[in-house]
Amino acid sequence: QVQLVESGGGLVQAGGSLRLSCVATGRTFSSYTMGWFRQAPGKEREFVAAISWNDGRTRYTGSVKGRFTISRDNAKNTAFLQMNSLEPEDTALYYCAASLLRTTVVNAAPEGYAYWGQGTQVTVSS
């Protein structure tokens, strides 16, 4: 089993920054595509960003492009989401996820991710 543990969420003012971390155990980290999703109360889970398993290709949802950066450190079995210029609309529970699918595109569908972290809350005040 793959276990994902997230950290780094918190309360921040609009315009501020946070860095989320996700530590993976149980499998070879470099073989996963890693993704970040978020979910606000009463809303569907939304794709945020992902980074491919075999190279550095990334994918972002349009609302965060230019503000968020996903990265990974395979030596530390850790994925990151650097969030800058945060807006109140970014408030949500953020989940990291791991996919073992082998695709030619960076997967943005939650159905393609088999393993999920517990979530970390990000709250952006105005």
Side-chain angles (χ1 to χ4, degrees):
Q1 292 281 349
V2 174
Q3 294 183 334
L4 306 175
V5 179
E6 297 156 301
S7 62
L11 175 64
V12 65
Q13 293 183 346
S17 298
L18 288 172
R19 189 178 76 159
L20 307 184
S21 299
C22 177
V23 179
T25 60
R27 300 288 293 273
T28 302
F29 182 74
S30 61
S31 68
Y32 320 149
T33 291
M34 297 299 299
W36 288 94
F37 296 78
R38 65 187 182 187
Q39 188 167 23
K43 297 185 178 180
E44 295 182 351
R45 188 165 297 187
E46 176 190 24
F47 170 77
V48 177
I51 185 166
S52 64
W53 66 273
N54 61 338
D55 56 29
R57 289 181 297 121
T58 58
R59 183 174 179 177
Y60 299 90
T61 192
S63 63
V64 309
K65 192 174 298 182
R67 300 188 296 120
F68 291 10
T69 303
I70 189 170
S71 61
R72 65 193 298 163
D73 185 341
N74 288 343
K76 297 181 179 179
N77 293 342
T78 304
F80 304 94
L81 185 68
Q82 178 67 46
M83 304 185 295
N84 298 327
S85 301
L86 282 162
E87 304 168 353
E89 293 74 21
D90 296 316
T91 295
L93 190 65
Y94 282 71
Y95 298 90
C96 69
S99 174
L100 274 64
L101 297 178
R102 298 293 181 263
T103 62
T104 58
V105 300
V106 182
N107 187 23
E111 294 81 6
Y113 289 82
Y115 303 100
W116 295 81
Q118 81 287 350
T120 185
Q121 178 67 38
V122 172
T123 302
V124 184
S125 65
S126 60

